[in-house]
Amino acid sequence: MTSRVAAIDCGTNSIRLLVADLPDPAAGPQAPLTDLSRRMEIVRLGQGVDRTGRLAPEAIERTRVALASFAADIDRLGAGRVRMCATSASRDAQNAAEFREMVQRTLGVAPEVVTGDEEARLSFTGAVRGLPADARPPYLVVDIGGGSTEFVVGTREGGVEAAISMDIGCVRMTERHLHGDPPGPDEVAAAQADIAAAVDRALEAVPGRSAATLVGLAGSVTTVVAIAQGLTAYEPERIHHARVSYDRVAEVTADLLAKSREQRLAIPVMHPGRADVIGAGALVLRVIMERSGLGTVVASEHDILDGIAWSLA
């Protein structure tokens, strides 16, 4: 027997939907989800939150439009259970109640404003199911979002050993530091110093330097990996579980930070909504690899969205 569920991950930069059939429990712990719909819209819910402390009205409206479309998909596919998790932007905002009311009206369920710890654990669950056998534990799973980055250390068998969330997401770092087009050397240096300080605190807390395998999640990572592979179109099946070296990540990061937004938009695998924040996201990944000493990152297309779906089992 399978169970049809819908998971929504509402982050600082994007909102995503997964409608999937969960496997029969008798199929074993590594049986996969069966995707029916997997969608992503860039809504930039966290626009200006770092500066104002509030969700912008136009950002809430963009999110409402995307949610209305998701609700239609959920109804059409007949998902029996729905869970929406809202992450960093709605944790930080002073007007979070306005956002929650909009979601309840549009989707019919209230969003869960998960803690950074819960966000990290959901990401870990989604990422480690189905990792290839040669990915040695313990794993350091990093989920580079718009407002924050989650760091989780654990194993498939033992689960999460430690987790922490740091406020170094790609939108937050862009708005805080990277103002030029392209950003100047001083701006990049300031962003790098900010990121490095947070990464060092995170790696001590989890502790990340004891991990054997780095697993990278979310759009910043998968876009960098797609560029590193030289893909001419975004191909999830080629990105999922691809391995990229530190040297290649560093090359891609330097190139992205040297380009203007218009030049980044011309990259074949670039989502238009990610072009202005991808430099910061790549920089976060590069600094994590530097400070952890892990010379290779394994990209995963499965992340917190899949973890939310599995939580409905």
Side-chain angles (χ1 to χ4, degrees):
M1 295 291 293
T2 60
S3 178
R4 185 161 296 180
V5 300
I8 297 174
D9 168 39
C10 183
T12 304
N13 193 46
S14 63
I15 186 167
R16 300 180 301 150
L17 167 70
L18 170 62
V19 181
D21 286 336
L22 298 173
D24 188 322
Q30 292 308 309
L33 295 167
T34 301
D35 288 14
L36 300 170
S37 178
R38 193 181 284 261
R39 295 178 53 191
M40 186 270 286
E41 301 288 344
I42 300 287
V43 296
R44 196 63 55 81
L45 180 63
Q47 171 192 333
V49 164
D50 196 46
R51 176 176 51 83
T52 68
R54 298 179 64 83
L55 297 170
E58 61 270 29
I60 293 176
E61 175 60 15
R62 288 193 298 266
T63 306
R64 185 198 65 77
V65 171
L67 268 179
S69 178
F70 287 1
D73 260 15
I74 292 167
D75 184 61
R76 176 177 59 83
L77 293 168
R81 282 170 289 165
V82 180
R83 185 182 185 192
M84 175 176 169
C85 292
T87 56
S88 178
S90 49
R91 280 203 303 267
D92 300 341
Q94 296 168 11
N95 58 336
E98 179 185 347
F99 169 75
R100 289 194 297 271
E101 290 166 7
M102 179 278 290
V103 172
Q104 181 71 56
R105 289 195 311 270
T106 307
L107 191 64
V109 300
E112 298 177 44
V113 184
V114 298
T115 64
D117 182 68
E118 173 68 1
E119 188 176 344
R121 291 171 190 276
L122 289 168
S123 294
F124 186 84
T125 299
V128 301
R129 279 183 177 258
L131 273 178
D134 61 352
R136 294 188 301 114
Y139 311 115
L140 170 60
V141 175
V142 294
D143 186 343
I144 303 173
S148 63
T149 294
E150 281 63 59
F151 297 74
V152 199
V153 168
T155 63
R156 200 183 339 244
E157 293 77 16
V160 172
E161 296 172 8
I164 192 169
S165 178
M166 307 299 290
D167 287 341
I168 50 169
C170 60
V171 174
R172 194 184 299 270
M173 290 297 97
T174 300
E175 292 186 350
R176 187 177 293 175
H177 297 294
L178 305 180
H179 305 129
D181 187 26
D186 290 349
E187 293 176 341
V188 173
Q192 182 172 316
D194 197 358
I195 293 165
V199 168
D200 283 345
R201 292 196 302 273
L203 293 177
E204 288 298 321
V206 283
R209 294 188 177 92
S210 66
T213 300
L214 174 64
V215 183
L217 314 182
S220 289
V221 174
T222 56
T223 301
V224 167
V225 169
I227 295 169
Q229 290 180 302
L231 300 184
T232 56
Y234 193 92
E235 300 178 62
E237 66 281 0
R238 291 185 61 183
I239 296 165
H240 189 49
H241 293 163
R243 298 169 186 264
V244 177
S245 70
Y246 166 78
D247 288 344
R248 191 71 185 104
V249 169
E251 289 173 6
V252 172
T253 301
D255 184 62
L256 288 169
L257 289 168
K259 280 181 160 60
S260 67
R261 182 177 185 276
E262 184 177 356
Q263 289 170 322
R264 293 191 296 272
L265 278 169
I267 298 171
V269 297
M270 187 66 62
H271 189 289
R274 202 173 298 285
D276 54 344
V277 297
I278 185 60
L283 188 59
V284 172
L285 175 60
R286 196 203 78 194
V287 172
I288 289 170
M289 297 180 78
E290 283 175 358
R291 311 303 283 192
S292 68
L294 293 166
T296 303
V297 61
V298 179
S300 178
E301 287 279 345
H302 295 175
D303 52 26
I304 187 172
L305 189 61
D306 302 75
I308 295 167
W310 282 113
S311 75
L312 293 169

